[in-house]
Amino acid sequence: MDTNNRNEQLDERLKDVDQADLEAFIQKRLDEEQNKNETASATLRLESLGILGNLLIIFVLGLFIVSPLIQLIVRVVTDNSDKILLVSSLTVKRYQWTIRNINRLARFTAVLTYLWIILYAVSKRIESRRHGVAVKKSELTVGERISKCVPFIVFVMFVVSIIAVTRIRGANEYDLTGHPYMYESIFSYITYPLVYFFCGMMLFDERLRKFLLYVLLFSGLPLNILALVDKWVTPVKYYTSTGVSPCAVFHNSNHYGYYLAITVITGALMFVYEKKLWLRIVSAVSAVIANIVMIMNNTLGAYLATLFIFILFIIYCFAFVKENKKESLIILGVFILITVVMRFFYSSLMSSFLTLFGDINMIIEDPLEADSAGSSRWRLWKGTVEHMGESPFLGFGVEGLLNTYGVGTPHNEFLQYAEFFGIQTSLLYIIACSMILLRVFFSHKTLDKTSMICFFVSLGYLASSFFGVAIYYTTPFIYIFLGLTYAEYFKKGKPKAAKTE
């Protein structure tokens, strides 16, 4: 009897133990499942923040890239007059209104992007501590992380220099509002690196950078086709006309030349690197049409810059990467072929070449009396340099030499920054651009093809800017493309293989 009681008590205890273990096991599994769900939710929140940030950046950059097409739409919607024969105050003000609003949206969105970066970093740290979300530890040292930020830091110094010299010497009549035509104030020059370059630099995903390149090609294609229609078929009511050279929606053929140069280079190099056949065709068609319009446009600086880039691209393919050799020769060959064929219909570009050689000879023989050289650019360059000694570090402000000495914008962006804001400001711009391009070039083996396309586009713009002006509706392009060029390097840092150099 006692034995039976002991067995029954033992069975009851075993039942209690089994029940307790089972409950503990179930509770443990429930806790694990809850933690798993919370971790997944935290990861999803971080990913959503990342997607939101990319959308903000695409919006900022894409809005300006399509601004010429937006301007055409604005003219279609608002203009009821006859063909615009010359640049009028109305067409200028409409474009200024368009870019002013785009810049406002860009600044607001850039502020959101800065806040997003802070929020993303803080959220990632909090979630990692609360739910165990793994935070990928950077392989870069603190010094290396700071080093890759140096170009942006230099651009910040560029901005600080502009603010400081304006504050010290006092604002002139155009510093705060911009010239009525050029429409770039100190706030424009502050916006370019802090908004457009910064946002481009933060776009790490190659697919999104490539998307922006196609935004340029697809939005530029109808503009350039209509430019041909305007000159070959029938006048396009909404296009500005200044004689033989097409201007499309731009005020001046030289300004259109900037846009055409980056479109030709982008389309040609996308043709080389794109894998999808239909996109290669679109890229090639876009480049060819823009090339034809460029020759009609007769902007020698843009043409020479594009030719220079295609030659450099051949050297790059043959000497450095040893691939795409045939394609690099094809794009240069097509470029020259179009030039030769168009020579039978438009002799202005060849005349510009001959004039260039004459101008160079004139400058060599007597630089002091060669004011007419380079479409009077030499006079502007000489006048700018002559007066720089009066205020080498403070500059003269936006268009500061115009009213004082009758010397307008020097048609050289590097001189323009020096004239407006002092030599040190121009040097900071040159240093930032040079550092970006040199770092990307020496790291080309580890970077994607889109980064290298943007590299060549940026280099082409800078080459063209040696003969051009910074103006409100083209200048942001260089900052956007410099940012896109640097984005992948900024994400990865200096290649490990290069650290022993």
Side-chain angles (χ1 to χ4, degrees):
M1 186 69 178
D2 293 337
T3 302
N4 291 335
N5 288 335
R6 283 196 297 270
N7 289 336
E8 289 177 0
Q9 292 174 0
L10 181 61
D11 289 340
E12 290 294 329
R13 290 175 183 174
L14 288 174
K15 287 180 181 180
D16 293 339
V17 170
D18 292 342
Q19 184 68 27
D21 288 345
L22 180 60
E23 290 177 355
F25 175 76
I26 293 173
Q27 185 62 45
K28 181 179 179 181
R29 292 300 300 270
L30 289 173
D31 291 341
E32 289 176 352
E33 191 66 26
Q34 182 178 358
N35 288 335
K36 183 178 179 181
N37 291 335
E38 289 179 353
T39 300
S41 178
T43 302
L44 182 61
R45 284 195 293 270
L46 290 175
E47 291 177 352
S48 299
L49 278 174
I51 293 172
L52 175 62
N54 284 327
L55 289 175
L56 289 173
I57 292 171
I58 288 291
F59 176 76
V60 169
L61 305 183
L63 194 61
F64 186 87
I65 288 173
V66 301
S67 60
L69 184 60
I70 292 174
Q71 176 59 19
L72 176 61
I73 295 171
V74 168
R75 290 187 180 184
V76 171
V77 171
T78 62
D79 194 285
N80 295 315
S81 63
D82 295 330
K83 166 72 176 175
I84 303 171
L85 297 178
L86 296 172
V87 176
S88 67
S89 60
L90 179 61
T91 59
V92 171
K93 287 179 180 178
R94 281 176 178 166
Y95 215 142
Q96 291 174 348
W97 175 84
T98 301
I99 299 300
R100 181 174 67 248
N101 287 316
I102 288 175
N103 283 339
R104 285 172 177 171
L105 287 171
R107 291 181 190 121
F108 175 74
T109 310
V111 169
L112 294 181
T113 304
Y114 280 103
L115 294 175
W116 163 78
I117 292 170
I118 297 172
L119 178 62
Y120 182 80
V122 172
S123 298
K124 198 169 185 179
R125 183 63 59 184
I126 292 174
E127 297 294 358
S128 67
R129 290 178 177 177
R130 181 181 299 172
H131 303 298
V133 180
V135 179
K136 186 177 179 181
K137 193 172 182 179
S138 175
E139 298 178 357
L140 303 176
T141 65
V142 174
E144 288 170 332
R145 288 198 292 269
I146 294 174
S147 175
K148 68 179 186 176
C149 296
V150 169
F152 181 69
I153 294 172
V154 175
F155 270 134
V156 171
M157 294 169 63
F158 166 85
V159 168
V160 171
S161 179
I162 291 174
I163 296 172
V165 299
T166 305
R167 179 69 177 174
I168 292 170
R169 64 170 157 71
N172 71 11
E173 62 178 308
Y174 299 132
D175 275 336
L176 303 182
T177 59
H179 183 272
Y181 180 73
M182 307 301 286
Y183 206 60
E184 285 185 315
S185 66
I186 62 169
F187 304 110
S188 304
Y189 295 112
I190 291 170
T191 296
Y192 299 152
L194 297 186
V195 174
Y196 292 110
F197 171 75
F198 174 78
C199 289
M201 183 181 70
M202 296 303 298
L203 201 61
F204 302 143
D205 193 329
E206 183 190 10
R207 294 170 300 178
L208 298 180
R209 284 181 275 123
K210 185 183 289 188
F211 170 78
L212 287 178
L213 297 185
Y214 279 119
V215 168
L216 172 67
L217 296 183
F218 277 92
S219 63
L221 192 57
L223 286 171
N224 297 331
I225 290 175
L226 285 175
L228 296 180
V229 172
D230 183 52
K231 295 302 176 185
W232 288 355
V233 182
T234 183
V236 176
K237 175 181 177 181
Y238 307 104
Y239 271 18
T240 304
S241 178
T242 57
V244 177
S245 299
C247 294
V249 295
F250 297 88
H251 311 329
N252 184 288
S253 60
N254 291 325
H255 308 160
Y256 191 21
Y258 269 138
Y259 184 77
L260 291 169
I262 65 174
T263 304
V264 172
I265 297 170
T266 301
L269 298 193
M270 290 298 284
F271 164 76
V272 172
Y273 289 124
E274 179 57 59
K275 301 300 181 183
K276 295 180 180 179
L277 179 60
W278 75 275
L279 287 175
R280 292 193 75 188
I281 294 173
V282 170
S283 299
V285 170
S286 179
V288 167
I289 292 176
N291 194 0
I292 293 171
V293 178
M294 179 192 291
I295 294 171
M296 296 168 57
N297 180 266
N298 190 30
T299 303
L300 186 59
Y303 179 88
L304 291 176
T306 306
L307 177 61
F308 170 68
I309 292 304
F310 286 161
I311 293 172
L312 282 185
F313 186 66
I314 290 176
I315 296 172
Y316 171 75
C317 291
F318 276 80
F320 293 96
V321 296
K322 294 179 172 50
E323 60 183 21
N324 301 116
K325 299 177 182 179
K326 181 176 68 174
E327 290 85 350
S328 68
L329 293 172
I330 288 174
I331 60 176
L332 177 61
V334 171
F335 182 79
I336 294 174
L337 177 62
I338 293 173
T339 302
V340 172
V341 172
M342 292 293 291
R343 167 70 180 82
F344 293 102
F345 304 97
Y346 295 88
S347 59
S348 52
L349 187 64
M350 185 58 65
S351 299
S352 297
F353 266 113
L354 297 175
T355 302
L356 174 64
F357 291 120
D359 290 343
I360 293 173
N361 183 61
M362 186 190 309
I363 293 170
I364 292 173
E365 289 182 354
D366 191 350
L368 297 179
E369 298 297 329
D371 287 354
S372 63
S375 300
S376 297
R377 280 176 172 80
W378 184 253
R379 178 183 64 81
L380 294 171
W381 295 358
K382 189 176 69 174
T384 301
V385 173
E386 285 176 350
H387 294 294
M388 278 302 299
E390 300 174 22
S391 183
F393 302 111
L394 295 180
F396 298 90
V398 175
E399 298 294 344
L401 291 178
L402 182 59
N403 291 342
T404 306
Y405 297 104
V407 179
T409 303
H411 283 72
N412 179 307
E413 289 194 24
F414 308 103
L415 275 179
Q416 183 172 337
Y417 285 125
E419 176 200 327
F420 290 2
F421 308 115
I423 295 172
Q424 78 288 343
T425 306
S426 180
L427 287 176
L428 288 170
Y429 174 74
I430 294 170
I431 290 169
C433 294
S434 300
M435 187 173 291
I436 291 165
L437 295 177
L438 288 173
R439 284 185 168 188
V440 169
F441 177 76
F442 287 118
S443 306
H444 69 269
K445 291 182 180 179
T446 65
L447 301 180
D448 56 50
K449 304 302 183 184
T450 303
S451 294
M452 297 314 299
I453 292 174
C454 295
F455 166 85
F456 284 107
V457 173
S458 298
L459 195 58
Y461 187 105
L462 290 172
S464 181
S465 73
F466 194 81
F467 306 96
V469 297
I471 189 169
Y472 70 98
Y473 58 1
T474 60
T475 309
F477 279 114
I478 182 58
Y479 289 90
I480 290 172
F481 274 96
L482 283 172
L484 297 178
T485 299
Y486 197 63
E488 189 181 10
Y489 184 98
F490 181 70
K491 178 183 179 182
K492 295 179 177 179
K494 189 175 182 180
K496 294 294 183 181
K499 293 182 181 181
T500 58
E501 296 179 359

